[in-house]
Amino acid sequence: MTENNSVSGGMSELVKTVCVAVEEFIFVFGCYLVIYGHLSPGGGFAGGVILAAVFILIMLAFGKERILKIMPRKRAAFIESLGALLFLAVAWAELYISGIFFRNFIPSSAAGHFKLMSGGTILIYNIAIALKVMAGLFLVFFVLSITRVILEGDKLKMVKKQ
Amino acid sequence: MTETIILFLLALMILGSLIALESKDILSSVIAMGAVGFMLSAIFLILRAPDIAMVQVVIEILTLIILIRATISRDVHTVTDTRDFLPLALNMVLLFVFFIIAAEAIRNMPDFGTGLSKVAGHYLNRGLNDTGSANIVTSVILDYRAYDTLGEATVLFAALIGAITILRRKAKND
Amino acid sequence: MIYTLCMALFFIGLYGICCKKNLIKIVLGFIIMDYAVNLFIILIGYRKNGIAPILDKTMDVKKFALSSVDPMPQAMVLTAIVIGLAVTALLVALCVRIYERYGTFDITKIRKLRG
């Protein structure tokens, strides 16, 4: 029974309803963790993993077609490259502006502590890492689940031949 | 008190991992693995590492999904008997040597809860003024030791590329 | 004592890798070893009655530096955990590929099938 459901896409109606109700909140929580990563527990890694979990939740609940509409493979690959390039681009900009690789060029004063912009480039780094982790983990899950469907198709073919 | 709780959770983790390795059913061993991961997350929280506890919970869920999707509906008759005698004996020798070396290393460790690295004082004292980040862990991974994060991103990228490449060839042939 | 138990956890993972026949069990042993190493690094950085290394507006920096736990092992482990997931995915992908080719997870049978 579950096999048919996972191939044709989606679980039962109950799971879909709960998923719709919950997914936005998890997404917003992930974004919060990324943006306030330098002021509270969290950061690029935790936020990125939670954002990836949102997409995997949608993939498991609604099946392959729905997630391909939201996030095609090309777009996921693009987002991952964007994260890596953003990380490196900021690092090169720091080299150009301040003369040292990975040196924070946005100065922070004691008055600006505990504000959103107090971290300078740390905020941009967090966003870059979150993008990278999110797209990368999502891609790997997508490929693994696709392969499973193909494998089951092969088994069916073999059974039919016999 | 903290020590007692950690010892209790660690004993439970050892029990869970033994069940995971010795269980005859693959699905139940994967579920036991999930229990081990969540206990690890609880230990991280007790050890005052909220960042890592947060990451560990989500990572554990994702690991479970990967393992279940890979193993379910496959391998109905699980292999339970052990390996041949000679490789097994060699492995036992290896385990014994590891045990001796590790016991020697553990004996020379500083006591639990006392060893703080010298550089930690610098980070803790000057982290806020140098980087402006209130979360010192973030300031370490993204400012003081950003090269580490760059290398981590590279390793992550390489592992993902490897997984995708291994799995893709079949899809093209179909 | 805690270090010893942590080493025992690592030992169990090593035992799983060395003495198990099923490929999925070997992957589980790898994950257990990963957890044990992460836990060990965090245990080293702990300070008794310490606080989390996150500053608050009301805290004094000097007092904070004297009571906080070590932030550096936490930073190392934070990256190591995410890498661990990616490596697990790589291993599972290899297992899937092997199963597809040989139709079994038993490593001794795989050895017998091809030289």
Side-chain angles (χ1 to χ4, degrees), chain B residues 1-3 47-48 111-116, chain C residues 2 43-51 66-70:
Chain B
M1 185 59 197
T2 315
E3 214 162 328
L47 287 175
R48 308 289 190 276
D111 285 342
F112 174 67
T114 55
L116 213 60
Chain C
I2 288 182
L43 282 173
I44 290 174
Y46 184 68
R47 186 195 313 231
K48 266 183 187 150
N49 303 319
I51 56 173
L66 285 179
S67 61
S68 168
V69 298
D70 196 343

Side-chain angles (χ1 to χ4, degrees), chain B residues 8 15-16 25 31 35 53 59 71 82 110 112 114 117 119-120 124 128 142 146 157 170 172:
Chain B
F8 178 66
L15 192 68
D25 186 19
I31 291 168
I59 287 283
T71 57
T82 49
F112 174 67
T114 55
S117 61
V119 75
L124 290 173
L128 182 63
L142 291 178
F157 193 64
K170 182 72 183 178
K172 265 188 182 170

Side-chain angles (χ1 to χ4, degrees), chain A residues 34-35 37-38 43-45 48 82-95 98 100-106 119-133, chain B residues 131 138-147 149-150 152-153:
Chain A
V34 174
I35 294 172
H38 56 289
F45 289 102
L82 184 74
L85 286 178
L86 186 61
F87 193 86
L88 272 180
V90 176
W92 277 105
E94 290 174 346
L95 176 64
S98 65
I100 301 173
F101 208 56
F102 284 129
R103 173 157 188 155
N104 207 335
F105 62 77
I106 300 177
T121 50
I122 287 181
L123 180 62
I124 310 174
Y125 283 147
N126 263 333
I127 292 173
I129 287 179
L131 287 178
K132 187 169 165 46
V133 170
Chain B
T131 66
T138 306
S139 81
V140 171
I141 60 172
L142 291 178
D143 199 298
Y144 289 114
R145 288 172 177 262
Y147 279 108
T149 311
L150 184 62
E152 184 274 343

Side-chain angles (χ1 to χ4, degrees), chain A residues 18-32 50-51 54:
Chain A
V18 173
C19 174
V20 166
V22 157
E23 63 187 15
E24 299 97 353
F25 293 108
I26 306 178
F27 193 84
V28 170
F29 178 61
C31 292
Y32 166 79
I50 288 177
L51 289 179
V54 174

Side-chain angles (χ1 to χ4, degrees), chain C residues 56-81:
Chain C
D56 203 345
K57 266 180 205 168
T58 54
M59 280 181 200
D60 183 36
V61 175
K62 286 264 162 53
K63 224 183 269 173
F64 168 75
L66 285 179
S67 61
S68 168
V69 298
D70 196 343
M72 211 182 67
Q74 299 195 10
M76 306 279 114
V77 169
L78 195 60
T79 57
I81 287 178

